[in-house]
Amino acid sequence: MAWKIPYPLVEIVWDDATSNSDSWVHLDDISVPARVNTTGFLVKETPVAVTIAGSVAADEDSIATVGNTMTIPLGMIHSRRVLKLSRSKSK
């Protein structure tokens, strides 16, 4: 039996903060938050944020080992959905 990844694959649409590195900026040039679409494995969720990982170790003994993580505050999330992970056999 194949090992199953224990984390759901999710797509999160969120508003990222923006900034301007110039010392002086005209009010008309101030940026609005940037809409971002991020996909990964939902590995942690707290009352204030979610953490997704782009990579998960490929065996049961290493399920607590993940890579390329991003933690997004819940207040910045516009939407999220669980994606279906399908596996095809290698040729």
Side-chain angles (χ1 to χ4, degrees):
M1 181 174 186
W3 177 71
K4 183 180 179 213
I5 297 171
Y7 308 109
L9 181 65
V10 295
E11 173 190 59
I12 297 179
V13 179
W14 56 288
D15 291 329
D16 195 5
T18 58
S19 65
N20 189 315
S21 60
D22 294 335
S23 359
W24 292 93
V25 178
H26 190 275
L27 290 177
D28 292 338
D29 295 328
I30 293 175
S31 302
V32 297
R35 184 66 46 98
V36 180
N37 183 310
T38 302
T39 302
F41 296 99
L42 179 64
V43 295
K44 186 175 182 180
E45 186 164 6
T46 70
V48 296
V50 295
T51 300
I52 62 170
S55 302
V56 175
D59 62 76
E60 287 184 68
D61 296 333
S62 301
I63 61 170
T65 303
V66 296
N68 305 312
T69 62
M70 177 179 285
T71 299
I72 305 168
L74 295 180
M76 297 173 86
I77 294 175
H78 177 69
S79 66
R80 70 176 170 171
R81 66 183 176 127
V82 176
L83 304 174
K84 182 177 170 102
L85 181 63
S86 65
R87 295 179 185 240
S88 59
K89 293 183 179 181
S90 301
K91 292 183 179 183

